Amino acid sequence: MIGVQREITERAIELLRLHETSEPKLVLDIGCGSGLSGKVLEEKGHVWIGCDVSRDMLDVANERIERKRKKENNDMGGMDSEDEEESEDEEMEDGER
């Protein structure tokens, strides 16, 4: 599911022509869910604001953002941080079902 969401987000970036500029863009993600699209937007250098009708989904998105901030502020040992983040994303997704 995460792979599909990434593909959809990358296609949206292409359709919106966000890839044609090196300047970061501000994107409003209506129905952001758990923030998977926002994660891809950030990886591409863009800034995003998410909104969703589900408080639970926003809580998941906020948890994802907090984990990212903690990782940026701490040196992580052991597992590669990208692998760990994907593992955490999969755990979050399992909880969303």
Side-chain angles (χ1 to χ4, degrees), residues 30-72:
I30 299 172
C32 69
S34 63
L36 291 171
S37 294
K39 177 181 170 188
V40 176
L41 287 164
E42 286 178 5
E43 290 171 0
K44 304 286 184 185
H46 301 292
V47 179
W48 66 287
I49 298 171
C51 62
D52 200 287
V53 297
S54 170
R55 185 56 164 157
D56 292 336
M57 290 285 89
L58 292 173
D59 289 343
V60 171
N62 283 325
E63 288 173 17
R64 181 188 313 278
I65 292 167
E66 285 302 313
R67 281 194 322 268
K68 180 182 178 209
R69 286 184 183 147
K70 286 178 184 176
K71 285 179 188 173
E72 289 173 351

